[in-house]
Amino acid sequence: MAQLWGGRFTKETDQLVYNFNASILFDQKFWKQDIAGSRAHVRMLAKQGILTEDERDQILAGLDGIEADVESGKLEITQKYEDIHSFVEANLIDRIGDAGKKLHTGRSRNDQVALDMKLYTRDEIGEIDALLKKLLETLLSMMEEHIHTYMPGFTHLQKAQPITLTHHIGAYFEMFRRDRQRLSDIKERMNYCPLGSGALAGTTYPLDREYTAELLGFAGPTLNSMDSVADRDYVIELLSALSTIMMHLSRFCEEIIIWNSNEYRFVEIDDAYSTGSSIMPQKKNPDIAELVRGKTGRVYGALISILTTMKGLPLAYNKDMQEDKELTFDAIDTVKGCIALFTGMVSTMKFRKQVMEESAKNGFTNATDAADYLVNHGVPFRDAHGIVGRLVLYCLDKNTSIDDLSLEELKEISPVFEEDIYEAVSLKTCVEKRQTIGAPSELAMQKSIEAGKAYLANS
Ligand code: ARG
């Protein structure tokens, strides 16, 4: 047991209590951020004349040594220490002696851990953002490729109107674009430095908090020392954004699982991203898509967990807040893994264009267009809707489709139909006539693709 306190205690901590309390097993994850925070703190202390330049240089050299040795594996972070803060400080003192004991001047582990967690999550937001950007690039190149890959668009998982694969993928492009914007909003809002807030009430040393904040790349210091050590809003916001990313991935996975089924056969997932069955030799299962869908639950769980942990906490710091870490780390790692795997899976998936197009042709996906045809020939929409409804009933009875009826049959239901109805309800017309912003026609989708390219070039 190695801990930073003990002066006012007359007994050793019970081993079980020590284990229960210790956080080194998980907070070692931000060992680099802990060192970075200490460097900034020490530079500020020296600038303010609280430490001498010589003490500062000794401490900085000691921290460099610890960093290099942990990096190379020469120094191991072990459970001998209560937390990562104790590990760094104890090692520093071992290395440089008395000067090391001055590192913690004007600092508490409360503002230190608040800083470390912020630095860590800020770095991870950058990584998640880069993964999302790569996913968006992949989706955009798929959009460019499939501008004429026709497929049914669904509502209620019932065929509704024909669209293209570009249009469908474009919907997800928008979702993941918003996910990136959410991350960037969070980063901006959280980017204030809590260091220098002490345990809860600031310190009596003349710290320059603005300088520390600047050294660590923050927009400025946080403005209330109680809030600084008690705030985990950014963790909640991040987990909420991560939950939304998982929700988007999961919806896409669900569609891929459906499209990959024997009934649909729209896509074939690459062998590298599928698995077999131990008993049924014919099986090729979409496990990766299922796992991404399945892992959504644990990320939601992390969000609910931290919300619940925080809801009853009086100001300022409480040890409950140590519970923010494991779940957040797990959620971050889960999301990063899922985005990377998902990107690989979709970029190697093969689409069966013919099957998709055939599917778009049946199921009366052109019924709205048949009604629109009548409207364009002077029939009020409500009447046109009724006429086409009867048409569909007739087709169902004859087991055929609107396009396959003869003009005589069509005219029997409405004399307004003429030869040009066939062109009007063809799959191509149904898609290409839809030219409003965001609609599936080539014209509209080319504009979306251009806008997507411009966005990716500038963000
Ligand atoms: N491991 C602690 C945490 O994660 C560090 C802060 C400890 N502060 C304290 N007063 N015991 O929150």
Side-chain angles (χ1 to χ4, degrees):
M1 298 187 206
Q3 50 213 18
L4 298 171
W5 42 271
R8 60 117 41 229
F9 288 77
T10 51
K11 270 193 199 171
E12 279 282 303
T13 317
D14 179 90
Q15 186 64 49
L16 280 178
V17 172
Y18 181 85
N19 295 348
F20 190 65
N21 192 48
S23 52
I24 187 96
L25 272 179
F26 44 90
D27 64 18
Q28 58 178 277
K29 193 124 175 150
F30 49 52
W31 68 275
K32 277 194 176 189
Q33 285 80 4
D34 194 77
I35 291 177
S38 289
R39 281 196 185 110
H41 183 62
V42 148
R43 286 207 175 98
M44 181 278 294
L45 290 176
K47 182 179 93 65
Q48 297 301 95
I50 302 164
L51 293 187
T52 65
E53 289 187 358
D54 178 52
E55 287 165 336
R56 174 196 64 197
D57 294 342
Q58 284 185 53
I59 294 175
L60 289 177
L63 292 172
D64 286 350
I66 294 172
E67 186 171 58
D69 288 352
V70 173
E71 194 89 71
S72 71
K74 199 166 135 198
L75 178 60
E76 210 189 321
I77 302 174
T78 67
Q79 287 183 60
K80 198 177 126 205
Y81 303 92
E82 180 187 346
D83 54 30
I84 192 63
H85 325 297
S86 319
F87 167 83
V88 173
E89 191 174 326
N91 272 283
L92 186 70
I93 296 167
D94 284 351
R95 271 164 206 251
I96 65 167
D98 279 349
K101 293 183 182 165
K102 297 191 172 179
L103 168 67
H104 209 54
T105 313
R107 189 174 70 172
S108 155
R109 277 184 298 166
N110 296 354
D111 59 347
Q112 189 178 359
V113 79
L115 172 74
D116 291 1
M117 191 65 182
K118 255 194 188 176
L119 289 176
Y120 183 81
T121 45
R122 195 178 68 176
D123 289 346
E124 291 295 318
I125 285 177
E127 291 199 19
I128 297 166
D129 183 67
L131 286 165
L132 282 177
K133 184 166 185 186
K134 208 163 157 239
L135 172 57
L136 285 173
E137 283 162 359
T138 303
L139 295 182
L140 197 67
S141 68
M142 291 165 78
M143 286 171 73
E144 288 189 278
E145 195 185 325
H146 291 291
I147 208 143
H148 294 123
T149 305
Y150 298 111
M151 66 180 285
F154 297 85
T155 62
H156 316 270
L157 199 53
Q158 311 258 2
K159 286 182 196 176
Q161 290 173 342
I163 55 163
T164 63
L165 185 55
T166 297
H167 192 231
H168 199 113
I169 294 173
Y172 285 100
F173 187 92
E174 295 304 315
M175 294 180 226
F176 294 119
R177 184 219 301 258
R178 285 196 296 275
D179 286 330
R180 287 188 77 204
Q181 286 166 344
R182 251 184 289 278
L183 290 178
S184 133
D185 291 348
I186 294 168
K187 197 162 166 182
E188 196 180 317
R189 202 165 23 257
M190 74 186 269
N191 203 24
Y192 293 88
C193 184
L195 199 62
S197 299
L200 76 163
T203 88
T204 53
Y205 300 98
L207 305 187
D208 183 348
R209 292 195 56 212
E210 277 167 340
Y211 182 68
T212 315
E214 193 188 312
L215 287 178
L216 291 165
F218 285 101
T222 50
L223 295 183
N224 179 291
S225 61
M226 297 266 275
D227 177 54
S228 306
V229 293
D231 168 37
R232 293 295 181 274
D233 288 4
Y234 64 98
V235 175
I236 293 169
E237 287 190 42
L238 175 60
L239 289 174
S240 164
L242 296 186
S243 295
T244 308
I245 293 173
M246 288 306 292
M247 180 267 288
H248 291 153
L249 287 173
S250 183
R251 289 182 79 170
F252 207 161
C253 283
E254 170 71 9
E255 301 209 277
I256 291 167
I257 292 163
I258 293 172
W259 293 350
N260 184 65
S261 68
N262 287 332
E263 284 68 28
Y264 275 76
R265 300 180 60 254
F266 283 9
V267 289
E268 181 161 1
I269 299 176
D270 195 79
D271 277 1
Y273 287 89
S274 314
T275 51
S277 157
S278 59
I279 175 168
M280 295 166 283
Q282 84 283 13
K283 292 270 265 187
K284 188 172 144 187
N285 297 325
D287 290 34
I288 300 307
E290 289 171 331
L291 268 176
V292 171
R293 186 179 59 182
K295 284 179 190 291
T296 305
R298 64 200 271 176
V299 178
Y300 289 5
L303 172 63
I304 296 300
S305 171
I306 182 74
L307 279 169
T308 311
T309 298
M310 296 303 292
K311 79 179 260 293
L313 298 189
L315 290 180
Y317 178 83
N318 301 270
K319 195 61 175 262
D320 315 45
M321 289 158 73
Q322 179 167 290
E323 285 295 308
D324 65 352
K325 293 175 194 61
E326 282 167 287
L327 290 161
T328 304
F329 296 157
D330 181 74
I332 288 172
D333 292 344
T334 301
V335 169
K336 279 163 62 180
C338 287
I339 302 173
L341 276 159
F342 182 85
T343 305
M345 180 179 69
V346 289
S347 63
T348 51
M349 233 159 49
K350 297 269 175 304
F351 289 92
R352 293 203 180 88
K353 296 189 192 186
Q354 211 42 50
V355 177
M356 294 167 88
E357 185 165 332
E358 278 312 310
S359 171
K361 277 185 182 155
N362 58 50
F364 305 102
T365 57
N366 55 2
T368 314
D369 297 80
D372 289 346
Y373 173 92
L374 294 172
V375 170
N376 286 330
H377 289 75
V379 181
F381 180 75
R382 199 42 63 205
D383 294 341
H385 189 281
I387 293 167
V388 178
R390 288 200 296 284
L391 207 58
V392 168
L393 212 56
Y394 179 83
C395 289
L396 284 171
D397 191 45
K398 292 244 147 35
N399 193 21
T400 183
S401 62
I402 299 176
D403 330 39
D404 291 330
L405 295 178
S406 69
L407 193 55
E408 288 67 46
E409 287 172 298
L410 286 165
K411 273 188 174 298
E412 217 155 279
I413 293 174
S414 169
V416 179
F417 286 121
E418 294 297 342
E419 194 57 46
D420 59 351
I421 176 67
Y422 296 107
E423 171 67 21
V425 298
S426 81
L427 182 60
K428 201 164 179 235
T429 314
C430 291
V431 172
E432 300 308 340
K433 275 239 170 113
R434 289 180 155 75
Q435 297 180 353
T436 41
I437 293 174
S441 71
E442 173 175 359
L443 196 83
M445 281 297 107
Q446 287 293 11
K447 286 186 189 147
S448 286
I449 291 170
E450 286 319 310
K453 277 188 192 160
Y455 157 74
L456 286 175
N458 294 314
S459 65

